[in-house]
Amino acid sequence: MLLELVTGQRAIDFSRLEDEDDVLLLDHVKKLEREKRLDAIVDCNLKKDYDCQEVETMIQVALLCTQASPEDRPSMSEVVRMLEGEGLAEKWEEWQQVEVNRRHEYERMQFRRFDWGDDSVYNQEAIELSGGR
């Protein structure tokens, strides 16, 4: 909900497919945050009438609240403290490291999935020789 408030966009928006691959607001914001494009995240109706540091804090807290594992998400009391300026830097640093590791693992899995080695060529020939079923 916090991401929807900051961006002025819906959580799922298929119209984004015209410009990019991210249908989910979460993926869209993560990408823009990695690129340090906060201006592209914030609702354009605000016409740059906002405090950049406050927006960055809100985005970081929102992303911490969207972690896949519920155990990793901050409690509401932690969210309040982070919005007040306590403990966000440590949690954010930890989350970024986890995200980097997750992205690297995903990229390795994608590489392995499409790495057609010699064995797969051999198996392909065997399939072709076996004929239709």
Side-chain angles (χ1 to χ4, degrees):
M1 182 176 78
L2 190 53
L3 290 178
E4 289 180 349
L5 289 171
V6 170
T7 64
Q9 299 177 33
R10 294 177 181 246
I12 299 174
D13 185 357
F14 291 103
S15 68
R16 269 196 292 272
L17 279 177
E18 296 173 8
D19 300 323
E20 55 187 86
D21 295 332
D22 298 323
V23 171
L24 297 178
L25 178 60
L26 176 60
D27 295 335
H28 178 68
V29 170
K30 280 182 177 182
K31 183 179 95 179
L32 292 173
E33 192 283 325
R34 274 193 310 270
E35 296 170 357
K36 302 296 183 206
R37 295 180 48 208
L38 291 180
D39 58 317
I41 295 173
V42 179
D43 187 347
C44 62
N45 292 322
L46 292 176
K47 297 179 172 66
K48 301 196 183 231
D49 187 23
Y50 54 86
D51 182 298
C52 291
Q53 184 60 43
E54 288 178 0
V55 168
E56 186 173 6
T57 297
M58 289 175 58
I59 291 169
Q60 289 175 355
V61 170
L63 291 176
L64 288 171
C65 291
T66 60
Q67 296 180 81
S69 173
E71 300 87 40
D72 296 333
R73 298 177 199 149
S75 66
M76 284 310 295
S77 59
E78 289 176 302
V79 168
V80 170
R81 282 195 303 273
M82 286 188 287
L83 289 173
E84 292 174 343
E86 296 177 32
L88 176 59
E90 298 83 19
K91 290 256 189 207
W92 182 248
E93 187 66 35
E94 182 181 308
W95 179 82
Q96 284 185 311
Q97 189 58 46
V98 168
E99 279 293 297
V100 166
N101 292 339
R102 186 186 61 76
R103 273 196 313 272
H104 287 313
E105 183 60 31
Y106 177 77
E107 289 167 2
R108 277 197 299 271
M109 286 174 33
Q110 292 294 1
F111 179 75
R112 278 189 227 137
R113 180 183 299 169
F114 298 110
D115 185 20
W116 304 102
D118 291 334
D119 290 341
S120 63
V121 171
Y122 176 77
N123 290 337
Q124 181 63 35
E125 291 171 1
I127 291 169
E128 289 172 6
L129 292 174
S130 68
R133 299 207 187 322

